[in-house]
Amino acid sequence: MNTFFSATAERSRSYRIVGVAAVLVAAVAVGVMFAVNANRPQPTGALPVGANVQASPAASSPVSSPSAAPVVASTQAVFSCSSSNSSAAQSPTAAFVDAIRTGSHAGYDRVTVQFKNGQPGSISIRPQAGATFHQAPSGKADTLAGRNGILVIIRGADAHTAYSGVRDLKTNSPSLAEVRVIEDFEGQISLGLGLKQTSCYRASVLTNPVRLVIDVQAS
């Protein structure tokens, strides 16, 4: 009987040794796998686990100034002494003028024609020698102050539905002498600009509100 118990204890001790050895081997294997994975390069663009993620600042959007649909060029362009034409992609049946303004600035005088309900169908700007224009539909000669002129023809518009202001504006500006409505008939407006100096200009159509801006160069 003692021999039986001794053999049994011996076998039990052998099993324990084998079990401990297996546990040690497994622990070593797990440690090796962890070390390999820890040293493995992260995929491109990935962040390590536990890294603090900070949202990158959103790209700043440029502040929009009034959008421009140039007749000749934007108000930052060079002055031109040639005729120009512009057509609107969309326009009302008639764009109603509701303001006509003039102003003087360093290097140029400005004429602004503001529209109440959208951009007119087309705009033509025609510099000319002399300050005599012809009224429509009568054809009567109309001579403005100044030595030269610019004829502005606005089609698809009227200056009587929403505008009740002055139709002949005289100024003391360095270059712009006078602005007169010489036609307002059957959806067409013509403005005569009398100039003291050259008839070079730059022009654009701005929005919010819609307005035609003409800068007359002061030499």
Side-chain angles (χ1 to χ4, degrees):
M1 182 179 295
N2 290 337
T3 302
F4 173 77
F5 284 122
S6 296
T8 302
E10 188 66 28
R11 284 196 299 271
S12 176
R13 188 162 41 250
S14 298
Y15 292 155
R16 285 199 297 272
I17 292 171
V18 172
V20 170
V23 170
L24 290 175
V25 170
V28 170
V30 170
V32 171
M33 291 175 63
F34 179 82
V36 170
N37 287 333
N39 293 326
R40 181 177 298 168
Q42 295 287 340
T44 303
L47 291 173
V49 175
N52 291 326
V53 180
Q54 296 181 351
S56 58
S60 58
S61 299
V63 177
S64 297
S65 58
S67 55
V71 175
V72 176
S74 72
T75 53
Q76 301 303 317
V78 296
F79 290 91
S80 172
C81 304
S82 302
S83 297
S84 64
N85 299 282
S86 174
S87 297
Q90 292 183 336
S91 61
T93 303
F96 302 138
V97 172
D98 62 355
I100 300 174
R101 299 185 295 270
T102 63
S104 186
H105 304 268
Y108 63 92
D109 296 332
R110 173 167 289 184
V111 179
T112 301
V113 183
Q114 184 172 301
F115 301 94
K116 181 179 181 179
N117 60 326
Q119 184 175 341
S122 68
I123 299 169
S124 297
I125 301 178
R126 302 174 183 173
Q128 65 178 49
T132 298
F133 303 88
H134 291 86
Q135 296 180 5
S138 68
K140 178 183 175 182
D142 216 350
T143 301
L144 277 60
R147 296 188 294 114
N148 294 296
I150 294 177
L151 175 64
V152 182
I153 302 173
I154 305 172
R155 301 175 184 87
D158 82 48
H160 54 269
T161 298
Y163 181 67
S164 57
V166 178
R167 302 175 78 82
D168 187 0
L169 294 81
K170 294 182 172 64
T171 80
N172 293 317
S173 301
S175 184
L176 180 66
E178 187 175 359
V179 178
R180 185 181 300 178
V181 179
I182 58 176
E183 178 184 9
D184 180 14
F185 182 71
E186 292 186 347
Q188 179 167 304
I189 301 169
S190 294
L191 302 177
L193 279 57
L195 310 177
K196 300 174 184 177
Q197 302 175 30
T198 64
S199 54
C200 299
Y201 68 95
R202 61 189 180 189
S204 58
V205 175
L206 307 180
T207 58
N208 299 320
V210 177
R211 59 206 186 275
L212 168 64
V213 175
I214 302 173
D215 294 337
V216 178
Q217 186 176 28
S219 56

